[in-house]
Amino acid sequence: MSHISVLLHETVDGVLAGRDTGIFVDATFGRGGHTKLLLSKLDQNARVYAFDKDPQALEVAAQLEQEDSRFKIIHASFADIQAELARIGITEVDGIMADLGVSSPQLDQAERGFSFMQDGPLDMRMDQRNALSAYEVVNDYSEENLSRILHEYGEERFARKIAHNICVSRQQAPIRTTGELIEIIKRSIPAKIRATGGHPAKRTFQAIRIEVNQELTVLSESLDGMIDLLNDGGRLCVITFHSLEDRIVKNIFRKNEHPCTCPPEFPVCVCGKKSKGTVVTRKPILPGEEEMETNPRSKSAKLRVFERKV
């Protein structure tokens, strides 16, 4: 399945906010859908910098670099966005967009280990340079730690049972493939439950992927820095795909809009913390019916937008 960019026009229009020039950042290049549309709306003086760690995304980006001199790819996580941009002399930008979803090619390639629909090695690394893969999480983590990850990151009802059965199984032999893990998960979930609610391994795979790539930690530690990079009127647009991500984005946006920590009974603010801007989206922007029909993976997507005020 080819990758279809989610909330494409809503995100690009949101980050541009009516402008046609400036310096913009795609924090998660993926297969370049958002970046390509953004470039098509910008004049020749604009610049777009993109970040990604995935080797296949970097191949697509390298081709785009050859085609459009306004574009540059940076092989790094968006966790390093401030440091990496500073290295090339950029300390302020006019807009940042981030699509936190896993791209369709990653999900569909069995050898990447993201898919619970195909058998492949237990990997799930966005960046192949990282030492930690799904194999280490599944085979080396304690039962208690596995259960916590499945419960917190996957919101899996049967986290304890799945974690227990993983540990029992790996005592016989290491769990090496996604197919082996899926069979353990299926045995851990009652048949009545398996018959409803989609694939039984979906939540477990999500949880392990988040742990392998430290997705929530990276997100939590990056958003404030992204906001600080924005010029006056610059916008940060973030697309999330599950409740944990969305909650982090919502809370950090809210904190940057209303940072005051003074007790409510204080007549005036004495903490000195100043608002950095405004949350543009009081409620997240959701895909329309047509998009959800043509791209089922968009159904859980939510777009939130923050505008910097200096």
Side-chain angles (χ1 to χ4, degrees):
M1 180 179 178
S2 62
H3 184 66
I4 304 171
S5 298
V6 173
L7 291 164
L8 177 59
H9 292 278
E10 294 89 341
T11 302
V12 172
D13 290 345
V15 80
L16 284 171
R19 288 165 295 189
D20 64 0
T21 195
I23 299 173
F24 295 88
V25 176
D26 185 344
T28 51
F29 180 77
R31 295 305 179 266
H34 291 99
T35 286
K36 290 172 184 175
L37 180 61
L38 180 65
L39 285 165
S40 74
K41 293 175 176 283
L42 292 169
D43 68 18
Q44 289 305 306
N45 296 315
R47 294 291 180 270
V48 177
Y49 298 88
F51 287 74
D52 214 300
K53 303 175 293 181
D54 180 66
Q56 291 163 318
L58 295 170
E59 288 179 15
V60 176
Q63 180 62 37
L64 184 57
E65 273 188 328
Q66 297 298 314
E67 298 169 359
D68 196 323
S69 61
R70 299 173 298 168
F71 172 73
K72 179 177 176 57
I73 184 66
I74 298 171
H75 184 189
S77 164
F78 62 74
D80 303 316
I81 188 169
Q82 286 180 295
E84 290 291 335
L85 289 175
R87 285 201 315 143
I88 54 176
I90 296 171
T91 56
E92 295 178 328
V93 301
D94 298 295
I96 303 171
M97 53 188 182
D99 175 351
L100 303 181
V102 180
S103 70
S104 295
Q106 285 176 330
L107 288 171
D108 295 334
Q109 290 173 351
E111 63 269 22
R112 298 299 301 275
F114 289 104
S115 177
F116 46 77
M117 303 301 290
Q118 304 178 71
D119 194 18
L122 278 173
D123 194 326
M124 300 194 196
R125 289 175 294 173
M126 302 282 192
D127 188 343
Q128 296 297 307
R129 298 173 300 179
N130 289 348
L132 182 67
S133 73
Y135 179 89
E136 282 77 33
V137 172
V138 169
N139 287 286
D140 297 342
Y141 277 31
S142 69
E143 182 175 332
E144 181 181 4
N145 207 13
L146 275 173
S147 179
R148 177 189 61 80
I149 289 165
L150 301 187
H151 176 69
E152 290 182 10
Y153 297 165
E155 300 175 295
E156 172 57 67
R157 288 168 57 192
F158 301 97
R160 288 185 179 180
K161 185 68 172 177
I162 294 169
H164 176 73
N165 285 344
I166 286 172
C167 292
V168 170
S169 181
R170 74 191 190 191
Q171 287 176 356
Q172 309 303 315
I175 302 164
R176 298 186 181 279
T177 70
T178 55
E180 292 172 18
L181 178 58
I182 288 166
E183 289 306 311
I184 295 168
I185 295 166
K186 285 180 178 177
R187 294 200 307 268
S188 307
I189 299 175
K192 285 184 179 180
I193 304 298
R194 291 204 311 271
T196 60
H199 198 287
K202 181 178 180 180
R203 293 178 182 275
T204 295
F205 271 56
Q206 171 184 295
I208 295 172
R209 190 200 79 221
I210 289 171
E211 173 66 15
V212 166
N213 298 288
Q214 293 294 296
E215 294 173 29
L216 300 182
T217 301
V218 169
L219 180 62
S220 297
E221 294 177 353
S222 302
L223 289 175
D224 287 328
M226 290 186 191
I227 290 171
D228 289 341
L229 271 172
L230 295 172
N231 284 319
D232 188 36
R235 286 186 170 188
L236 171 58
C237 298
V238 183
I239 304 170
T240 62
F241 285 85
H242 55 78
S243 60
L244 299 171
E245 290 175 337
D246 183 59
R247 192 178 307 135
I248 289 170
V249 175
K250 180 175 69 174
N251 290 340
I252 290 178
F253 279 11
R254 183 186 296 155
K255 182 196 72 176
N256 277 276
E257 182 178 42
H258 301 294
C260 178
T261 55
C262 296
E265 62 270 19
F266 277 29
V268 294
C269 173
V270 295
C271 71
K273 295 179 179 178
K274 305 295 183 185
S275 173
K276 292 182 181 179
T278 305
V279 178
V280 176
T281 47
R282 291 301 159 189
K283 291 186 177 180
I285 297 170
L286 307 177
E289 291 294 330
E290 184 177 344
E291 179 171 7
M292 288 190 287
E293 190 171 322
T294 57
N295 182 16
R297 286 176 177 164
S298 72
K299 289 182 179 179
S300 59
K302 294 180 179 180
L303 169 64
R304 293 187 185 271
V305 182
F306 185 91
E307 184 172 306
R308 184 83 157 100
K309 299 292 183 186
V310 178

